[in-house]
Amino acid sequence: VPRKANVLVIDDEALVRDVLCRMLEDIGFAAIGVADGNAGVELAKCSVPPVDIAIVDLTMPGKSGREVIAELRQVRPDLPVVLCSGYDRDRVATQGAAGFLRKPFRFENLEEVLTQVLAR
């Protein structure tokens, strides 16, 4: 049995984070959610089994999604990152990100983006 991909969810909103983690588990991924960029970067650095992909909210207090992506690039240059935002115009902020997920999204959108990103 192949190991399920581990998805790290970094979002400051507990409800969004919990729902996203449940959706990921429902479509066959292992998910771990954290509330801020610092915790996410630490987890990406040292989690066992390793994180395979990260979904990062763009707008968070403290560190923005852009800053979190830059830090993730430093500790795990190989880690695919999907940027998540409620605004389509934020697609332009996806430099350094492997994909973009617009909130609100459906199971199909989530699965499609993750499949594309993990196939690279």
Side-chain angles (χ1 to χ4, degrees), residues 8 32-34 38-51 76:
L8 170 61
I32 182 160
V34 295
N38 292 331
V41 170
E42 280 308 305
L43 248 169
K45 243 194 301 199
C46 59
S47 84
V48 177
V51 171
R76 289 275 311 277

Side-chain angles (χ1 to χ4, degrees), residues 41-119:
V41 170
E42 280 308 305
L43 248 169
K45 243 194 301 199
C46 59
S47 84
V48 177
V51 171
D52 299 303
I53 189 168
I55 298 176
V56 179
D57 183 29
L58 181 63
T59 49
M60 295 184 284
K63 278 191 183 124
S64 72
R66 284 186 193 93
E67 292 170 307
V68 173
I69 290 173
E71 286 187 26
L72 287 170
R73 285 281 150 268
Q74 290 174 346
V75 300
R76 289 275 311 277
D78 61 321
L79 181 68
V81 177
V82 172
L83 190 63
C84 196
S85 171
Y87 302 101
D88 239 5
R89 67 169 186 268
D90 289 332
R91 269 179 199 275
V92 298
T94 58
Q95 309 94 329
F100 179 79
L101 195 56
R102 187 182 184 287
K103 294 177 185 174
F105 48 82
R106 296 192 159 113
F107 275 106
E108 304 84 63
N109 306 120
L110 178 62
E111 200 166 13
E112 185 182 324
V113 169
L114 292 178
T115 302
Q116 287 172 354
V117 169
L118 288 169

